Amino acid sequence: MFTPLSLRQAREFTDTMQAFDGVQEVTERQRANRGTLTFRVTNGHDYLVKWYYQDELRKAKVIGKRSPQTEAIERDFNQSRKALDARAKSLRTNLEKQAKLNVAVGIARLPLVSARIIRAFERAGIGSERLKIVGTHALYAYEAMAGGIFDAGLVATQDIDLLLDPRAPLRFIVSDDLKEETLLGVLRSADRSFDATRQPFRARNKDGFLVDIIKPERAPPWKNEAFEAGTGDLQPSPISGLQWLENAQALAQTVIDAKGLPVVMNVPDPRAFAIHKYWLSQRPDREPAKARRDKAQAFAVANLVISELKHLPFDGRSLRMLPREIVADAIAAFRKAKPETAT
């Protein structure tokens, strides 16, 4: 169920990561260099002024009167910005060329709609501390960590589960292409056809792709939480056991989408994922078909950790966010499994 990347695939994946690092670096430098520097006449004097946006308001900061020094500042700023823009354009062009190679060699894995959704949440300012991707989609990140590909039957899905941490305020940074400060609005910035369903935690697009917004079940369930969805917005569904994934370390892993372009996924520690899936598979109230799939994914990820991700040992100290007896039961089951069963 897991096939290591070929030498050619591994080379293209590595080249993509290096190209993506370059794009991210220059993008950060562009953000630090935001705003404009211009001279402006005020009360008969020429001043160098920096214009920038803060909290959606345009603001100005006076640097100083026109002088050889301020003229040099203005010239260096604009030259630096022009050079950064040129470098960014070149790096993105190279990344787009690399994307075609990724598709050709078969490492373009993450469904395009999923990649668009993840990027939309990133644009909205929701990072790893607020959002984790759980469920079947997390396997795309785990296979990338291990440098291989899971069997198609293990990852095939028409939905994506997003685990929100409701303990801290959920705030959106509204950009030009995001007019609604709602979860549904974020989804629609990725695909206009997303709409709410009869189930208040779920959205569906025109192709039937589902997005579930879920959260851990609290004790007591009526406990006040910082997250409050707006009227008409998606309402995260509380689910038992998700507090383990919520509290597990979040890992950021770059994967490659169906068009060959990189995207960063924030997922729980694969050990916590495997144990949670195994626990789900053993629950008496779990539907048999779902339980079988849970168990297959649990053993697939556990075997991946044991055989490929040796820096992540299955030990109690690393898994203290999970109940001790559940960890012990799962680890015993993983260790008993034959290689062909656990993969």
Side-chain angles (χ1 to χ4, degrees):
M1 287 187 178
F2 178 79
T3 304
L5 297 179
S6 68
L7 292 178
R8 173 68 189 280
Q9 289 174 321
R11 186 185 73 189
E12 301 304 345
F13 186 84
T14 300
D15 287 348
T16 302
M17 297 304 103
Q18 292 174 345
F20 188 43
D21 284 344
V23 170
Q24 289 181 306
E25 180 183 347
V26 76
T27 299
E28 286 300 316
R29 292 176 62 187
Q30 284 180 310
R31 287 173 182 165
N33 223 25
R34 282 183 300 187
T36 58
L37 282 182
T38 58
F39 282 99
R40 178 180 180 179
V41 177
T42 303
N43 297 327
H45 296 283
D46 211 2
Y47 292 93
L48 180 62
V49 179
K50 181 172 184 177
W51 300 92
Y52 61 99
Y53 282 89
Q54 183 175 325
D55 298 329
E56 300 182 63
L57 297 175
R58 191 170 187 241
K59 297 188 176 183
K61 179 181 179 181
V62 177
I63 306 299
K65 289 184 179 180
R66 182 184 286 273
S67 68
Q69 289 76 20
T70 54
E71 288 177 350
I73 290 172
E74 189 261 354
R75 182 174 60 254
D76 291 345
F77 178 88
N78 290 328
Q79 288 178 348
S80 175
R81 185 168 182 172
K82 185 176 180 180
L84 277 176
D85 290 345
R87 179 167 175 75
K89 182 178 179 180
S90 175
L91 288 170
R92 291 190 177 98
T93 298
N94 290 337
L95 191 58
E96 289 171 1
K97 291 179 181 178
Q98 181 65 44
K100 296 178 181 179
L101 293 174
N102 294 337
V103 174
V105 301
I107 59 173
R109 298 279 293 158
L110 185 68
L112 192 57
V113 63
S114 305
R116 287 172 175 164
I117 291 168
I118 293 167
R119 292 185 180 113
F121 275 97
E122 182 181 353
R123 287 194 304 271
I126 305 176
S128 59
E129 72 283 358
R130 298 292 301 120
L131 184 71
K132 290 178 185 175
I133 297 168
V134 298
T136 299
H137 268 73
L139 271 67
Y140 289 110
Y142 300 144
E143 68 176 16
M145 289 179 193
I149 294 174
F150 277 125
D151 180 79
L154 202 64
V155 297
T157 184
Q158 273 296 302
D159 59 44
I160 182 171
D161 294 334
L162 303 175
L163 173 57
L164 286 173
D165 179 356
R167 295 175 299 182
L170 179 61
R171 297 188 178 98
F172 292 94
I173 300 174
V174 182
S175 57
D176 291 337
D177 59 345
L178 181 60
K179 303 301 183 185
E180 299 177 71
E181 294 186 53
T182 65
L183 294 170
L184 192 57
V186 175
L187 293 176
R188 285 173 174 165
S189 73
D191 182 334
R192 292 175 181 269
S193 70
F194 269 111
D195 206 352
T197 67
R198 293 180 180 177
Q199 296 167 296
F201 61 89
R202 174 171 289 174
R204 179 188 288 111
N205 74 357
K206 61 181 176 57
D207 299 316
F209 190 88
L210 301 173
V211 176
D212 289 350
I213 306 294
I214 57 181
K215 66 180 181 180
E217 186 176 76
R218 300 301 182 197
W222 40 260
K223 181 179 179 181
N224 289 333
E225 295 175 345
F227 176 83
E228 293 184 5
T231 303
D233 193 17
L234 300 177
Q235 306 287 331
S237 175
I239 296 179
S240 176
L242 283 183
Q243 66 272 17
W244 308 335
L245 300 185
E246 176 188 52
N247 294 325
Q249 178 184 6
L251 302 177
Q253 175 62 46
T254 302
V255 302
I256 299 176
D257 71 19
K259 282 194 171 182
L261 292 171
V263 59
V264 178
M265 295 180 66
N266 294 304
V267 294
D269 185 309
R271 295 167 295 182
F273 176 94
I275 291 171
H276 180 257
K277 279 287 185 177
Y278 181 76
W279 172 78
L280 279 177
S281 75
Q282 302 302 301
R283 291 190 57 164
D285 59 346
R286 191 70 165 166
E287 294 176 24
K290 290 183 177 180
R292 287 192 295 271
R293 186 174 177 85
D294 290 333
K295 188 173 183 179
Q297 292 180 344
F299 278 93
V301 174
N303 187 69
L304 193 72
V305 171
I306 293 168
S307 61
E308 305 293 337
L309 303 176
K310 299 182 186 298
H311 64 290
L312 298 174
F314 275 106
D315 61 63
R317 177 177 293 183
S318 304
L319 298 165
R320 284 177 292 182
M321 77 291 297
L322 282 74
R324 182 178 300 177
E325 64 278 9
I326 290 174
V327 171
D329 289 346
I331 291 177
F334 297 153
R335 288 175 176 167
K336 287 179 182 178
K338 296 179 181 179
E340 62 268 24
T341 303
T343 60

